Amino acid sequence: MDITNFIISRRETASLAGDYKTYGAQNSRRLHTIRKKLGQTTPKGRKYVAKPPITSENVASNEAYVHSLLISSERAWANAMHMKSLHSTDISSKGIVGASKRHIITRLNKATGYARQLLVVLQDRAASGATLIDLLEARGYHSMLSGALWMEKRRWEEALRSYSVARVIYNVLGAKLKKDAFRDLIVSTVDPSLRYAAYQMKISRSQPLPSLAIQFFPHDREIRSEVETVDPASLTEEAGRIRKAADGLVQQLPDKITWRSRTVALEDASIAQALAAASAAESRLSSWLLESVGSSASPKDKAVAYENVILASQDAVDATKAAIDELTNEGVDRGDPRVQALQVTRTAVNYSLIGWRVGRNRVLCGEHDGLLFETEPSKLPEKSRGKNNAKRSGVEGTGKKLARLRERIALYDSTLQSLDFVQELPGVIGDAAFVRELEAKRNYFRALRCLSIGRSHGFLGKSTNALALYSRALDLVSAVDLSTPSETTATGAPTIDISPEQLRASRTVLRSLVMQYRGVVTLEKLSGPKAGGSSCQPPLIERMDEYAADSLDLSNLVPYPPKMQPIPVKPLFLDVAWNYIDYPRDDQVEPANKDTEERKEGRRGWFGFGR
C-alpha cells in the first residue's frame, strides 16, 4: 500500500504549490474524486446520508478506500496546521488560546480518528490483505498524529510515548526497506518533537534520542511483537551507551571534550553523536590514506576523501550552535556553566573543522604543501601524433604553469582566511601561547604563498621580483617558531598542524632559491646597462666579425640567461619580386613579345620554385 510514501509525496507536492491551506483544498478535491469513483457521494437535491464505515473487505477489494481514509486524515491535519500558521506571528506570552486552540485540537483529533480507523481496518490482515509492513506504516502514521494531538494538549508524557512508537517503527522500516521517506520523517518531524517533549518533562539532554524512544516505548505485547518480527534487535539496544555508526560498527559515544587545558562534559546527546560520527569518518580517512590505494591516489581523489570528514565535523558545529541557541532562547545567562561549557565545545569543534578544511587545501596543493613545483607533461593534439597513433608528450607551456600557480595561491588565500577566523572563536584571543602558535602557522602559509608568486615571476623572466619574493618567504619561514609542540596527528592525514620536518624542508628549498636567483640577478646586471647609463658592448659571440686583439673582454662571452632573439633572414618579398622585375641589358635588346614569353616561363608559382 506504501502509506508513508503516499503521504510524503502529497505533502512535498503541496509545499511547492503553496501553504497548508492549499494542501487542504487539494485534499478536498482529491477526496471528492475518490468518493465519486467509490459511489459514496450524495447526489444533488438529496438529503445527506451518513456513509457506511469502511471495512477490511472494502480495503481488500479496492485500495482506494485506504486512500480515502488517508486523504481525510491529511485534510484535517492540514486545516490544523493552517490555523497554527495563522497564529504563529502572535508574540504574546499566552500563545494560541481560546476558540483557536480548541479548533486546532478538534482538527487534530479528527485526523487521528481517521488514522485510527485505518489502523483498525488493517489489523485484520486476513480480511484486508495487508502485510506486516503496511500495518506498521499505519501504526507509525497514527502514532505521529497522536503525538501532535498530545503536544497541543500539553500532555507531554503521552506525546513522548506516541513519538517514541513512531520513531522506533520508522527506524525499523527505514533499515528494512532502504527508503529515504522514513528518515526524512524522523529528522524533520519526530526527533524535534521528541526532544521538545523530553525537555518539558525535565529529561536531560545527554540522553540520546534512540535510547529515549526505546525507554518510553509501550509495553504492549502486540506492538512489540509486530516491531520485533521485522527487526528482533530493534528494542534490545542498551539505552544511552552505544550507537551504531554508519559503517555498521558499534561505537562508544564521547561524554567529554578537551580543548587546550580545559575539559568539559557533553550534556547534549546530539553533539556527542555528531562527534562520534566525525571520529569514525576521521578513522576511515586515516586508514585509507595509509593504504597503498590512498597513498598513491591523485591530489583530487584525496581531497574528495576529505569531504566526509568535513561534513561530519560541520554537523558537530551545527549541533553545538543549535544547543547554544536553545539556551539563549530560554533566557539562560551567558555566565551559566552550561553556556560556558558549550562555548568551549564550540571552539573545539570549529577548530577541528577548520583543521580538516586546511588539510584538504594542503592536499590539493600537491606534495610537501606545494613546496616543489613539478612540471607536468602536456599532451600534443592528435595532428602531432606519429604514424603509430601513440601519444607523445611535450613540454608544459608557461601559461599552464601560471594557471597552476594561480590555483595554489587561491588555496593559500583560503587557508589564511581560515586561520584568521580561528582568532574570532571564543576564548582564543585570551590564550597568548595559542595566538603565537597561530601566527607561526600563518607565517608558514604566507611563505608558501610568496613562493608561488615568486615562481610565476621567475617563469615570466622577472628575476628581480622573484628574488624579492623568495627572500620575503625565507624571512617568514625563519621567523616561524614551533618550539611548543602542536597536536600533530600521526595518521597520515594532513590538517592544520605543521611538523618540524616540513618546516626544515621549506627553509632548505627557499634558501637554495634565494642563492640561485641572487646569481641570476647578478649576471643580468653584468650583461645589462651600466650604472652610469652607458650601455655595455654586446657579447663576444655577437661581435665575431670584429678584430679586437687588445680590447677582448673574456667576462662577456655569451648572454646569460639565454633569451629568444630574432635572426636576420632573407625577406620573402624579394623572391616574389624577382618574378616580375626584368633588369635592362645594354648589350642586347630583345623584342617585347619575347620578354613576355620569358617572363611567363620564369614564373612558376608564387615563390618561383623550380627556376
Side-chain angles (χ1 to χ4, degrees), residues 466-478:
L467 175 61
L469 288 163
Y470 292 152
S471 178
R472 175 59 176 164
L474 181 59
D475 293 340
L476 289 171
V477 170
S478 301

Side-chain angles (χ1 to χ4, degrees), residues 81-92 96:
M81 294 300 103
H82 176 62
M83 290 291 295
K84 288 192 68 174
S85 63
L86 291 179
H87 294 81
S88 61
T89 57
D90 187 8
I91 60 175
S92 63
I96 305 175

Side-chain angles (χ1 to χ4, degrees), residues 139-179:
R139 191 178 294 280
Y141 179 64
H142 172 257
S143 299
M144 187 171 60
L145 292 179
S146 299
L149 176 61
W150 296 126
M151 290 275 282
E152 290 299 325
K153 293 184 176 181
R154 297 185 178 273
R155 296 171 62 174
W156 309 117
E157 185 174 356
E158 287 84 350
L160 189 60
R161 295 187 183 279
S162 297
Y163 279 118
S164 297
V165 174
R167 195 190 195 284
V168 171
I169 289 177
Y170 285 143
N171 191 32
V172 169
L173 293 177
K176 177 71 174 179
L177 302 178
K178 307 296 183 183
K179 292 183 178 180

Side-chain angles (χ1 to χ4, degrees), residues 396-569:
E396 185 180 15
T398 304
K400 291 185 177 180
K401 293 178 182 179
L402 295 178
R404 290 169 55 199
L405 288 172
R406 280 195 294 268
E407 292 177 359
R408 289 189 181 183
I409 293 170
L411 292 172
Y412 294 138
D413 288 337
S414 175
T415 300
L416 293 173
Q417 291 176 2
S418 299
L419 291 174
D420 293 338
F421 176 74
V422 173
Q423 296 186 356
E424 301 177 1
L425 296 175
V428 170
I429 199 64
D431 192 344
F434 184 61
V435 170
R436 287 195 298 270
E437 182 181 337
L438 284 177
E439 188 63 26
K441 295 175 180 178
R442 194 172 185 275
N443 287 337
Y444 173 76
F445 290 107
R446 287 176 63 194
L448 293 178
R449 184 177 184 273
C450 290
L451 171 63
S452 296
I453 299 176
R455 280 203 173 100
S456 64
H457 283 276
F459 290 143
L460 294 175
K462 302 177 181 179
S463 303
T464 305
N465 297 344
L467 175 61
L469 288 163
Y470 292 152
S471 178
R472 175 59 176 164
L474 181 59
D475 293 340
L476 289 171
V477 170
S478 301
V480 174
D481 182 15
L482 292 179
S483 57
T484 303
S486 58
E487 300 176 359
T488 306
T489 57
T491 58
T495 58
I496 198 173
D497 299 318
I498 303 168
S499 64
E501 292 78 11
Q502 293 170 338
L503 189 59
R504 285 194 294 269
S506 62
R507 290 173 179 172
T508 302
V509 171
L510 286 170
R511 194 177 292 113
S512 64
L513 285 173
V514 169
M515 295 175 64
Q516 175 187 350
Y517 271 79
R518 279 177 179 170
V520 172
V521 171
T522 302
L523 289 174
E524 287 181 351
K525 288 184 178 180
L526 291 176
S527 61
K530 291 185 178 180
S534 60
S535 60
C536 296
Q537 291 183 345
L540 182 61
I541 194 173
E542 298 180 5
R543 297 182 288 112
M544 297 298 292
D545 56 335
E546 299 179 4
Y547 179 76
D550 299 332
S551 61
L552 186 61
D553 187 6
L554 298 179
S555 62
N556 190 15
L557 299 179
V558 294
Y560 186 85
K563 297 181 180 180
M564 184 180 295
Q565 296 179 352
I567 59 174
V569 295

Side-chain angles (χ1 to χ4, degrees), residues 582 589-600:
D582 185 19
V589 178
E590 298 180 359
N593 56 357
K594 190 175 183 179
D595 291 337
T596 305
E597 291 178 359
E598 289 187 356
R599 283 199 301 270
K600 289 182 179 179

Side-chain angles (χ1 to χ4, degrees), residues 158 200 245 357-358 577:
E158 287 84 350
Q200 293 292 340
R357 286 178 176 173
V358 172

